Short mmCIF file of all heavy atoms in Angstrom, two decimals:
data_model
loop_
_atom_site.label_atom_id
_atom_site.label_comp_id
_atom_site.label_asym_id
_atom_site.label_seq_id
_atom_site.Cartn_x
_atom_site.Cartn_y
_atom_site.Cartn_z
N PHE A 86 9.46 16.98 15.26
CA PHE A 86 9.88 17.55 13.98
C PHE A 86 10.16 19.05 14.10
O PHE A 86 11.19 19.54 13.62
CB PHE A 86 8.83 17.29 12.88
CG PHE A 86 9.23 17.93 11.59
CD1 PHE A 86 10.29 17.42 10.86
CD2 PHE A 86 8.61 19.08 11.14
CE1 PHE A 86 10.72 18.04 9.69
CE2 PHE A 86 9.03 19.72 9.99
CZ PHE A 86 10.08 19.19 9.25
N GLU A 182 -0.72 16.11 9.31
CA GLU A 182 -1.58 16.13 8.12
C GLU A 182 -3.05 16.17 8.53
O GLU A 182 -3.88 16.82 7.92
CB GLU A 182 -1.31 14.91 7.23
CG GLU A 182 0.07 14.85 6.60
CD GLU A 182 1.18 14.44 7.57
OE1 GLU A 182 0.87 13.92 8.66
OE2 GLU A 182 2.36 14.65 7.26
N ASN A 240 3.64 18.29 6.06
CA ASN A 240 3.86 17.62 4.78
C ASN A 240 2.58 17.55 3.95
O ASN A 240 1.98 16.49 3.82
CB ASN A 240 4.31 16.18 5.02
CG ASN A 240 5.72 16.13 5.51
OD1 ASN A 240 6.60 16.72 4.91
ND2 ASN A 240 5.93 15.42 6.61
N VAL A 278 9.25 20.98 3.73
CA VAL A 278 10.04 20.78 4.96
C VAL A 278 10.57 19.35 4.96
O VAL A 278 9.89 18.43 4.49
CB VAL A 278 9.17 20.98 6.21
CG1 VAL A 278 8.74 22.43 6.35
CG2 VAL A 278 7.96 20.07 6.23
N ASP A 279 11.78 19.16 5.45
CA ASP A 279 12.31 17.80 5.42
C ASP A 279 13.40 17.56 6.46
O ASP A 279 14.45 18.21 6.43
CB ASP A 279 12.88 17.51 4.02
CG ASP A 279 13.16 16.04 3.81
OD1 ASP A 279 12.83 15.25 4.72
OD2 ASP A 279 13.69 15.67 2.74
N ARG A 280 13.15 16.67 7.35
CA ARG A 280 14.18 16.13 8.24
C ARG A 280 13.57 14.92 8.96
O ARG A 280 12.54 15.07 9.64
CB ARG A 280 14.66 17.16 9.26
CG ARG A 280 15.81 16.63 10.08
CD ARG A 280 16.50 17.70 10.89
NE ARG A 280 17.94 17.61 10.69
CZ ARG A 280 18.84 18.33 11.35
NH1 ARG A 280 18.45 19.24 12.22
NH2 ARG A 280 20.12 18.17 11.14
N ILE A 281 14.19 13.78 8.84
CA ILE A 281 13.63 12.58 9.48
C ILE A 281 13.91 12.66 10.98
O ILE A 281 15.06 12.78 11.41
CB ILE A 281 14.21 11.31 8.84
CG1 ILE A 281 13.74 11.22 7.37
CG2 ILE A 281 13.78 10.06 9.63
CD1 ILE A 281 14.34 10.08 6.57
N THR A 282 12.84 12.58 11.74
CA THR A 282 12.92 12.75 13.20
C THR A 282 12.14 11.63 13.88
O THR A 282 10.91 11.71 13.99
CB THR A 282 12.32 14.13 13.60
OG1 THR A 282 12.87 15.14 12.75
CG2 THR A 282 12.60 14.46 15.05
N GLU A 308 18.14 12.91 11.89
CA GLU A 308 19.19 12.64 10.90
C GLU A 308 19.96 13.93 10.63
O GLU A 308 19.53 15.03 11.02
CB GLU A 308 18.55 12.14 9.60
CG GLU A 308 17.65 13.19 8.95
CD GLU A 308 17.20 12.85 7.53
OE1 GLU A 308 17.84 12.00 6.88
OE2 GLU A 308 16.22 13.45 7.08
N LYS A 344 9.23 15.78 -2.84
CA LYS A 344 9.49 15.28 -1.49
C LYS A 344 8.34 14.40 -0.98
O LYS A 344 8.56 13.31 -0.46
CB LYS A 344 9.72 16.48 -0.56
CG LYS A 344 10.29 16.11 0.78
CD LYS A 344 9.24 16.01 1.84
CE LYS A 344 9.74 15.40 3.13
NZ LYS A 344 8.84 15.60 4.25
N LEU A 348 9.71 10.79 -0.83
CA LEU A 348 10.14 10.45 0.53
C LEU A 348 8.98 9.96 1.38
O LEU A 348 9.01 8.85 1.92
CB LEU A 348 10.80 11.66 1.20
CG LEU A 348 11.40 11.35 2.59
CD1 LEU A 348 12.57 12.25 2.90
CD2 LEU A 348 10.41 11.41 3.74
N ASN A 349 7.94 10.79 1.51
CA ASN A 349 6.86 10.39 2.43
C ASN A 349 6.15 9.14 1.92
O ASN A 349 5.88 8.21 2.71
CB ASN A 349 5.88 11.54 2.65
CG ASN A 349 6.54 12.73 3.33
OD1 ASN A 349 6.71 13.79 2.74
ND2 ASN A 349 6.94 12.57 4.57
N ALA A 350 5.85 9.10 0.62
CA ALA A 350 5.20 7.89 0.10
C ALA A 350 6.14 6.70 0.21
O ALA A 350 5.72 5.59 0.56
CB ALA A 350 4.79 8.10 -1.36
N HIS A 352 8.36 6.16 2.45
CA HIS A 352 8.26 5.73 3.85
C HIS A 352 7.03 4.84 4.04
O HIS A 352 7.11 3.79 4.68
CB HIS A 352 8.10 6.96 4.75
CG HIS A 352 9.36 7.37 5.46
ND1 HIS A 352 9.49 8.58 6.07
CD2 HIS A 352 10.52 6.71 5.70
CE1 HIS A 352 10.68 8.66 6.65
NE2 HIS A 352 11.32 7.54 6.42
N SER A 353 5.91 5.27 3.50
CA SER A 353 4.66 4.49 3.70
C SER A 353 4.76 3.12 3.01
O SER A 353 4.26 2.13 3.55
CB SER A 353 3.46 5.25 3.15
OG SER A 353 3.31 6.48 3.82
N ARG A 410 19.47 7.86 3.15
CA ARG A 410 18.92 8.41 4.40
C ARG A 410 18.07 7.35 5.12
O ARG A 410 18.16 7.20 6.33
CB ARG A 410 18.07 9.64 4.10
CG ARG A 410 18.89 10.84 3.64
CD ARG A 410 18.00 11.96 3.11
NE ARG A 410 17.11 12.48 4.11
CZ ARG A 410 16.04 13.25 3.84
NH1 ARG A 410 15.74 13.57 2.59
NH2 ARG A 410 15.28 13.69 4.82
N ASP A 418 14.07 4.71 13.01
CA ASP A 418 12.74 5.30 12.80
C ASP A 418 11.72 4.17 12.75
O ASP A 418 11.76 3.32 11.85
CB ASP A 418 12.78 6.08 11.48
CG ASP A 418 11.68 7.10 11.37
OD1 ASP A 418 10.94 7.31 12.36
OD2 ASP A 418 11.54 7.69 10.28
N ARG A 422 5.66 4.63 13.79
CA ARG A 422 5.54 6.08 13.55
C ARG A 422 5.16 6.35 12.10
O ARG A 422 4.27 7.14 11.81
CB ARG A 422 6.86 6.80 13.87
CG ARG A 422 6.79 8.30 13.59
CD ARG A 422 8.14 9.02 13.75
NE ARG A 422 8.96 9.04 12.56
CZ ARG A 422 8.86 9.92 11.57
NH1 ARG A 422 7.95 10.88 11.59
NH2 ARG A 422 9.66 9.87 10.52
N ILE A 423 5.86 5.65 11.19
CA ILE A 423 5.60 5.89 9.78
C ILE A 423 4.15 5.57 9.42
O ILE A 423 3.51 6.30 8.67
CB ILE A 423 6.57 5.03 8.92
CG1 ILE A 423 8.02 5.46 9.16
CG2 ILE A 423 6.21 5.05 7.44
CD1 ILE A 423 8.32 6.91 8.84
N CYS A 424 3.63 4.46 9.97
CA CYS A 424 2.26 4.05 9.60
C CYS A 424 1.21 4.78 10.43
O CYS A 424 0.02 4.64 10.16
CB CYS A 424 2.10 2.54 9.78
SG CYS A 424 3.17 1.59 8.69
N SER A 425 1.64 5.55 11.44
CA SER A 425 0.64 6.23 12.26
C SER A 425 -0.09 7.25 11.39
O SER A 425 0.50 7.88 10.52
CB SER A 425 1.31 6.94 13.45
OG SER A 425 2.09 8.01 12.97
N LYS A 430 -2.37 10.49 5.90
CA LYS A 430 -1.17 10.63 5.06
C LYS A 430 -1.36 10.06 3.65
O LYS A 430 -0.98 10.69 2.65
CB LYS A 430 0.00 9.89 5.70
CG LYS A 430 0.51 10.49 7.00
CD LYS A 430 1.55 9.57 7.64
CE LYS A 430 2.10 10.12 8.94
NZ LYS A 430 3.00 9.16 9.61
N PHE A 434 0.06 11.33 0.13
CA PHE A 434 1.38 10.78 -0.23
C PHE A 434 1.28 9.81 -1.42
O PHE A 434 2.13 9.80 -2.29
CB PHE A 434 2.00 10.01 0.94
CG PHE A 434 2.29 10.81 2.19
CD1 PHE A 434 2.75 10.16 3.34
CD2 PHE A 434 2.13 12.19 2.24
CE1 PHE A 434 3.03 10.86 4.51
CE2 PHE A 434 2.41 12.91 3.41
CZ PHE A 434 2.85 12.24 4.55
C1 CS2 B 196 7.18 10.42 7.54
C2 CS2 B 196 7.60 11.85 7.81
O1 CS2 B 196 5.36 10.62 9.02
C3 CS2 B 196 5.77 10.11 8.00
O2 CS2 B 196 5.11 9.34 7.38
O3 CS2 B 196 7.29 10.14 6.19
O4 CS2 B 196 7.43 12.18 9.15
C4 CS2 B 196 9.05 12.08 7.38
O5 CS2 B 196 9.94 11.43 8.23
C5 CS2 B 196 9.36 13.55 7.32
O6 CS2 B 196 8.45 14.18 6.47
C6 CS2 B 196 10.78 13.78 6.84
O7 CS2 B 196 10.93 15.06 6.44
#
Side-chain angles (χ1 to χ4, degrees):
F86 177 71
E182 294 76 15
N240 287 309
V278 293
D279 193 5
R280 185 168 229 186
I281 295 174
T282 312
E308 63 169 341
K344 193 262 169 166
L348 185 152
N349 296 112
H352 258 166
S353 299
R410 290 170 62 196
D418 200 7
R422 178 186 88 85
I423 296 301
C424 297
S425 68
K430 293 173 180 174
F434 298 175

